[in-house]
Amino acid sequence: MPRPVPLIDIAVNLTDRVFHGIGRRGQAVHADDFNEVVQRWRAHNIAKLITTGTHLKSCVESIELASQYPNELFCTVGVHPSHCSEFLPDPHTHLSSLLALISTQPGVVVAVGEVGLDYAELGECPKEVQQQFFELQFQLAETSGLPMLFHSRDCGLDFVDTVAKHRHRFSTGVVHSFTGSEEELHRILGMGLSVSLSGASLRTPAQVALIQHIPMYSA
């Protein structure tokens, strides 16, 4: 029987407190079972995992966590659209802090992200703030040469228009957990980027039909 191909989970939120039994409101909901999570991913042939940075504090936590699992855990550095207000009031100092994390952790930080637009989260961060600091973060990829991990939800064509505008500034990237339209998909693929799927990509029959047109590539 052939050996299974080792897998890589490219976007996992392992710094979430729920893995240590803490709920969204800070209450204990179950015993800390992080070690059991580690054993499960190893048992299911997950050879490497990339923890997503969503704000500056989580990026620092992701790097610290990766240091405990060398050559197994890696991470991204960037600010998720719902957290982009943290760039205020001094965007360039904040950007410099993110770039310092990238430059001091070669081989651990493997992508810029999770960056993009999420208009379902306007209550957390206004549209104009998301747009401004999505564009600013292309500088992280341009300076570091790292690929990008993108987030796009409920934002029409604003996301792909922004990526197209800055496509010359980064090498490649993945649009994580794709839930967009047929036009978005064609434009993303046309820019030489990839898309990844999650349960959110399978919520409607229309989404299921669309993702069948995503090409599969083998190494």
Side-chain angles (χ1 to χ4, degrees):
M1 183 174 180
R3 296 181 61 186
V5 176
L7 302 174
I8 301 174
D9 189 330
I10 68 165
V12 56
N13 297 313
L14 286 176
T15 58
D16 193 310
R17 294 185 300 171
V18 72
F19 290 107
H20 297 283
I22 306 300
R24 297 296 182 190
R25 298 178 181 177
Q27 78 282 19
V29 293
H30 59 75
D32 187 327
D33 62 353
F34 189 84
N35 288 335
E36 286 80 358
V37 173
V38 174
Q39 295 309 312
R40 285 198 296 272
W41 86 52
R42 290 171 174 168
H44 288 83
N45 207 41
I46 311 297
K48 299 180 187 297
L49 302 92
I50 301 174
T51 301
T52 50
T54 55
H55 49 78
L56 182 59
K57 182 174 181 288
S58 80
C59 293
V60 173
E61 292 171 348
S62 295
I63 290 170
E64 292 173 350
L65 184 61
S67 70
Q68 300 174 40
Y69 300 89
N71 300 314
E72 187 173 20
L73 278 189
F74 304 85
C75 67
T76 70
V77 164
V79 179
H80 185 281
S82 65
H83 292 287
C84 276
S85 293
E86 75 172 30
F87 277 98
L88 301 170
D90 189 351
H92 293 287
T93 296
H94 201 72
L95 189 76
S96 295
S97 297
L98 294 168
L99 188 58
L101 290 179
I102 294 172
S103 62
T104 58
Q105 299 293 330
V108 175
V109 179
V110 294
V112 171
E114 179 179 354
V115 301
L117 298 173
D118 190 332
Y119 294 172
E121 295 284 351
L122 296 182
E124 300 295 327
C125 185
K127 179 189 299 187
E128 295 76 13
V129 175
Q130 291 190 29
Q131 292 169 337
Q132 178 183 358
F133 297 121
F134 178 29
E135 294 204 53
L136 182 65
Q137 291 183 89
F138 284 96
Q139 186 174 330
L140 297 174
E142 186 173 35
T143 301
S144 67
L146 292 176
M148 301 189 75
L149 178 68
F150 291 113
H151 177 100
S152 173
R153 183 167 63 152
D154 293 355
C155 55
L157 297 178
D158 287 357
F159 169 78
V160 289
D161 286 344
T162 302
V163 174
K165 175 182 175 181
H166 296 277
R167 183 63 186 90
H168 63 287
R169 302 181 66 189
F170 66 98
S171 57
T172 190
V174 178
V175 181
H176 170 52
S177 192
F178 179 75
T179 59
S181 67
E182 183 174 0
E183 182 175 357
E184 289 175 81
L185 176 61
H186 289 319
R187 289 185 62 184
I188 289 166
L189 298 176
M191 288 187 280
L193 306 178
S194 300
V195 297
S196 72
L197 305 176
S198 70
S201 310
L202 308 170
R203 287 175 177 163
T204 69
Q207 287 176 315
V208 172
L210 178 60
I211 65 174
Q212 295 180 58
H213 298 287
I214 299 173
M216 296 287 290
Y217 298 101
S218 59

